[in-house]
Each structure stands twice: as C-alpha cells, then as structure tokens.
Amino acid sequence: MAAPSPVPTPRRTARDLRVGETGTICCLEDPVMALRLLDMGCVPGVTVRLSGRAPFGDPLMLVLGDEEYTLSLRGSEAATILLKD
C-alpha cells in the first residue's frame, strides 16, 4: 500500500499580504531578482509588512525589519519573495 501523497500547501508571497499584515521572508524564488532584492534588504528571516498599495494595486509598499526601511516593489517582484507559514 502506497503512502498517501502530501497535500501541496499554497505558496504565500509578499504580493499575497493584505495591508497591515506581516510575514517573514523564507527565500527568494527568482535567482536574477534575488540579487537585487538581497541588495535592498530582503534577506531570509526578515519580517516584512505591507504598508500600502497604489490605487490599482501595483506597486506595493513593504516595510522591512523594525520599521526602519520602506521598499516599493512591483507586484511581479513581490511575488518572488516567498514567506514562511
């Protein structure tokens, strides 16, 4: 008898955050974009909070760490930031 296959968990990214919601960066998905995001402080283990969205939902304003740094990213860029559960 085969073991039941694990149920895939949905990926949660920085783009999925609601305004005011926080998450912790798990990893960066796109290797090319990762270098740029790392330079801007998106390091695994850092807490991010979505502080706002532009009127049509893009770009997003993310606060990194302890309210020290605000970063504005396109939705497609924020979608490459994977968050821990």
Side-chain angles (χ1 to χ4, degrees):
M1 177 174 190
S5 61
V7 176
T9 56
R11 294 179 340 157
R12 186 167 168 236
T13 69
R15 184 173 62 182
D16 300 327
L17 292 172
R18 295 180 184 185
V19 175
E21 187 179 15
T22 61
T24 303
I25 297 174
C26 168
C27 50
L28 304 172
E29 186 175 56
D30 181 358
V32 175
M33 181 60 67
L35 294 175
R36 184 170 166 236
L37 292 170
L38 287 168
D39 284 344
M40 293 189 288
C42 295
V43 179
V46 169
T47 301
V48 295
R49 180 176 57 84
L50 181 64
S51 65
R53 292 179 187 266
F56 293 106
D58 199 14
L60 307 127
M61 293 184 303
L62 298 172
V63 177
L64 301 177
D66 298 327
E67 309 286 334
E68 296 179 7
Y69 182 53
T70 301
L71 179 65
S72 183
L73 293 176
R74 295 183 183 108
S76 60
E77 296 167 335
T80 67
I81 302 172
L82 303 181
L83 302 177
K84 294 180 182 177
D85 294 330

